Amino acid sequence: MAGDPAGYSAALWKEMVDLGWTGLAVPEEHGGVGEGFLEVCLLFEQLGYALVPTPLPVTVACCALPIARHGTDAQKSEWLDAISRGRIITCTPPAWDRPASAPIATPADSGDGFVIDGEAQFVPYASTAESILVTAHVDGDGRRAILLDTDTPGLAIEPSNTIGFDRPCRVTFNGVRAPSDRVLGGNGDPVEAIALYGAAAT
């Protein structure tokens, strides 16, 4: 796959979906298999052993599992069902030590959701992902995890042309509007879940 701009095999991805790997840790009511994170990690271990370039870890560990843990019922129904069916979702890396470098989410004037500006670096498989889970900084109010489609107006993706399997990209946000139903809800900190699940999967 070294010369392929996608960075992964579409045929192999389809096979993974058909085998139920994208839904391995997704509850059965959302089209998944209903196993846990341990079973997913055993799968990731074998993928890593074989050096398989695939968006499966970022889609499942960094996106599906935080959505399953922190999403509203409506978000789980929409997004987990889509991931089980093979939708590729990526995420922006949380900016733990440099919160000002993260995309900035400003409450919308309408009171519904946020307007996102700024940029995120090293976003894996962003050029081929259908959706992106954005970790954004809200001035004076912590951080949010926000689900967006990659064709959302104001969102631009540019390959970083760096080495590595995951085809990292630079994603810029210019007045991107995110309604409140795209903000990951529920209890706890979904941004922390993105980082911890992702670190364990890696």
Side-chain angles (χ1 to χ4, degrees):
M1 302 308 300
D4 191 303
Y8 69 94
S9 165
L12 184 58
W13 177 258
K14 183 180 183 304
E15 187 174 352
M16 290 178 177
V17 174
D18 291 342
L19 288 168
W21 290 3
T22 54
L24 186 60
V26 172
E28 293 183 27
E29 60 263 34
H30 298 301
V33 179
E35 296 293 343
F37 187 48
L38 173 60
E39 287 77 11
V40 172
C41 284
L42 293 172
L43 174 59
F44 291 158
E45 185 177 36
Q46 293 305 309
L47 292 173
Y49 181 78
L51 292 179
V52 178
T54 174
L56 191 71
V58 67
T59 295
V60 173
C62 297
C63 298
L65 288 167
I67 292 169
R69 190 179 183 95
H70 298 286
T72 64
D73 289 342
Q75 289 167 341
K76 292 176 186 178
S77 180
E78 177 181 357
W79 295 92
L80 295 181
D81 284 18
I83 290 172
S84 296
R85 294 192 302 269
R87 189 176 188 86
I88 296 174
I89 303 182
T90 187
C91 71
T92 62
W96 295 109
D97 56 337
R98 297 173 294 110
S101 68
I104 304 298
T106 305
D109 293 337
S110 64
D112 179 30
F114 294 92
V115 177
I116 306 172
D117 292 284
E119 68 175 46
Q121 298 280 359
F122 306 112
V123 183
Y125 295 108
S127 61
T128 52
E130 298 166 271
S131 302
I132 182 169
L133 182 54
V134 182
T135 59
H137 179 72
V138 181
D139 189 28
D141 193 26
R143 57 202 179 196
R144 296 289 189 279
I146 302 170
L147 291 154
L148 294 172
D149 294 329
T150 51
D151 60 357
T152 300
L155 191 155
I157 298 172
E158 179 183 358
S160 298
N161 296 320
T162 60
I163 61 172
F165 288 140
D166 59 358
R167 295 297 190 272
C169 295
R170 174 175 176 261
V171 180
T172 57
F173 305 87
N174 184 14
V176 175
R177 295 190 173 275
S180 56
D181 63 357
R182 292 301 185 100
V183 181
L184 206 56
N187 298 320
D189 185 354
V191 176
E192 182 180 39
I194 292 168
L196 294 179
Y197 279 128
T202 300

